[in-house]
Amino acid sequence: MVVLASTPAVDHIPLLRSPDPGDYFSGMPVVDLSSPGAPRAIADACERFGFFKLVNHGVPADTMDRLESEAVRFFSLPQADKDRSGPAYPFGYGSKRIGLNGDMGWLEYLLLAVDSASLSGACAVPSCALFRAALNEYIAAVRKVAVRVMEAMAEGLGIAAVDALSGMVTAEGSDQVFRVNHYPPCHALQGLGCSATGFGEHTDPQLISVLRSNGTSGLQIALQNGQWVSVPSDRDAFFVNVGDSLQVLTNGRFKSVKHRVVANSLKSRVSMIYFGGPAMTQRIAPLPQLLGAGEQSLYKDFTWGEYKKAAYNSRLGDNRLAQFHR
Ligand SMILES: C=C1C[C@]23C[C@@]1(O)CC[C@H]2[C@@]12CC[C@H](O)[C@@](C)(C(=O)O1)[C@H]2[C@@H]3C(=O)O
Ligand SMILES: O=C(O)CCC(=O)C(=O)O
Ligand SMILES: [Fe+2]
C-alpha cells in the first residue's frame, strides 16, 4: 500500500480506518459507584456490554494526576534511558512490540507485576523514586475500586457471599498486573483517512480491568453485534472491562469485551490499567450459585495458571477462550 511505502515510521503497524464522529458510543452505561443502584447497574452493563464507565469512585484526582505526570515525564526521557527499564519480557519497558508473539502497535508502555503481599514494593521498575511512589499510591487506590466493583458485581448477580468474586483478587498469590501505555501522536498518517493501530483488538484474560486515561480518546469497544464504537475519554472516570476469566465464572452471563486502541494523529494518549487476576492455582469455572437447575458449564475446567500460559502463547487478536469451550 502506497501509504505504508512512504511512511517508514509506521512500517509493521497495522492500520485502521480513522474513526469518524458518528462512531461514538452513545449508549455507554455510566455507573455511579456511590449510588444504591450500583450493583444492579453494574451487572446489567456487564451482561449487555462487558464494559461501563464508573463515576464517583472516590479516588482523588491528585492520585491520578500525579501518576499521569510522572508517566509523561518517564516517556519523555531519551530512548536509551527508557530502554534501561526494558525489554518487556513480559515486564518492564516496551516499545511497539506487544507480547512475545509478533504483535505490533503504535505505543510504548511499562508493564509491571503487582505484588499483593507488599503493595509498597509493587513495582521494581522504573527506578525513579517519585514515579514509584505515584505508582504505589495509585495502584493501592485502584485496587480498592476493583474490589468494590467486584463486590457490587456479586450483589448484582444475587450471590450471597459478597467476596465470591473479589476474594479472588484479594487472595494471597493473586496475579495482578499494571500497565501504563503511551500512544504518541502518529503525524505520518494525518489526513490520510486511516490511523495507526495503537493496541490491536483483544479481550483481557483476567477477571477485571480498570482503566483511566488522559483526555485523548482512542479506546474502542466491539458491541455484541460486532460494531466498533469509540469511547469518549473522561479523565475523571474509570472504565471497567470484564475479562475472559469473569466470563467463565459467570458461565457467559458477563461478556468479556473485545476492545482496541486507535492512535490519534495529533495528540498523545496516556492510559493506566489495573488487571485483576486470581492466584495461579485458582480454578476458573462457573460459580455454582450461578448455575440454574440442570445448567452445565459452557467451559472445560482449567486453572488461571493454565489459562495464562495459553494466553501468553497466543496472538493478541486470538479467541483465547475458544479452546476451553466444551
Ligand atoms: C500478545 C499478547 C500480549 C498479552 C499477552 C499476549 O500473548 C496475549 C494477551 C495480551 C494481554 C492483553 C491484556 C493485557 O494488556 C496483558 C498484559 C495481558 O495480561 O494479556 C497483555 C499481554 C502482554 O502485553 O504481555
Ligand atoms: O491503553 C488503552 O487504552 C487500552 C489498552 C489495553 O486494552 C490493554 O493494555 O490491555
Ligand atoms: Fe486490554
Side-chain angles (χ1 to χ4, degrees):
M1 188 183 186
V2 180
V3 171
L4 279 179
S6 61
T7 51
V10 291
D11 264 3
H12 309 300
I13 308 281
L15 303 184
L16 293 166
R17 185 180 62 81
S18 293
D20 57 51
D23 296 336
Y24 271 97
F25 185 18
S26 50
M28 163 96 73
V30 181
V31 176
D32 176 346
L33 191 57
S34 68
S35 118
R40 196 49 250 155
I42 288 176
D44 186 57
C46 293
E47 286 174 5
R48 293 173 61 209
F49 304 106
F51 184 84
F52 59 92
K53 172 170 161 173
L54 189 71
V55 298
N56 286 329
H57 45 67
V59 177
D62 253 16
T63 305
M64 308 201 276
D65 292 346
R66 197 169 311 131
L67 180 54
E68 185 185 323
S69 311
E70 287 300 325
V72 167
R73 210 160 56 81
F74 174 83
F75 289 120
S76 320
L77 290 172
Q79 191 62 45
D81 292 359
K82 293 185 281 190
D83 286 339
R84 271 196 282 281
S85 295
Y89 275 132
F91 297 117
Y93 171 79
S95 175
K96 293 193 178 145
R97 291 175 199 285
I98 300 172
L100 306 175
N101 305 314
D103 290 289
M104 304 286 282
W106 186 259
L107 86 166
E108 56 181 342
Y109 61 87
L110 274 168
L111 190 53
L112 308 165
V114 176
D115 177 358
S116 60
S118 133
L119 274 175
S120 58
C123 308
V125 279
S127 56
C128 165
L130 282 176
F131 194 0
R132 288 179 53 129
L135 276 163
N136 283 316
E137 180 185 327
Y138 180 87
I139 291 170
V142 74
R143 185 170 176 270
K144 281 190 194 142
V145 170
V147 168
R148 283 174 65 198
V149 167
M150 293 178 89
E151 289 173 353
M153 284 172 172
E155 189 183 335
L157 284 164
I159 300 173
V162 71
D163 63 349
L165 298 168
S166 61
M168 294 187 194
V169 296
T170 55
E172 187 161 339
S174 63
D175 187 21
Q176 303 162 83
V177 176
F178 191 70
R179 166 167 222 143
V180 187
N181 290 329
H182 171 225
Y183 304 90
C186 185
H187 302 296
L189 297 177
Q190 197 183 336
L192 294 177
C194 61
S195 306
T197 300
F199 206 112
E201 68 175 74
H202 66 284
T203 58
D204 294 342
Q206 292 84 357
L207 297 160
I208 189 171
S209 313
V210 183
L211 177 147
R212 189 264 177 184
S213 75
N214 69 351
T216 303
S217 56
L219 180 64
Q220 300 186 333
I221 65 165
L223 302 180
Q224 286 194 47
N225 64 8
Q227 185 196 350
W228 284 99
V229 288
S230 295
V231 174
S233 65
D234 182 345
R235 47 184 296 117
D236 300 321
F238 288 119
F239 293 90
V240 179
N241 279 4
V242 171
D244 297 343
S245 301
L246 188 51
Q247 176 171 317
V248 175
L249 290 171
T250 59
N251 208 25
R253 227 163 115 176
F254 285 5
K255 306 285 184 282
S256 176
V257 64
K258 213 190 269 183
H259 55 286
R260 67 185 182 190
V261 177
V262 183
N264 195 291
S265 62
L266 299 172
K267 295 193 290 174
S268 282
R269 173 177 169 87
V270 177
S271 59
M272 33 228 209
I273 308 126
Y274 165 87
F275 300 96
M280 290 301 177
T281 52
Q282 174 68 52
R283 178 172 172 258
I284 307 293
L287 295 176
Q289 306 91 306
L290 294 180
L291 289 178
E295 186 182 342
Q296 299 289 312
S297 171
L298 298 172
Y299 307 93
K300 297 174 193 160
D301 261 29
F302 56 88
T303 63
W304 166 245
E306 287 164 341
Y307 192 64
K308 186 174 177 177
K309 187 169 169 213
Y312 275 80
N313 282 326
S314 67
R315 294 291 298 260
L316 198 54
D318 289 348
N319 180 351
R320 280 175 277 284
L321 268 184
Q323 61 180 298
F324 294 93
H325 267 279
R326 269 201 217 273

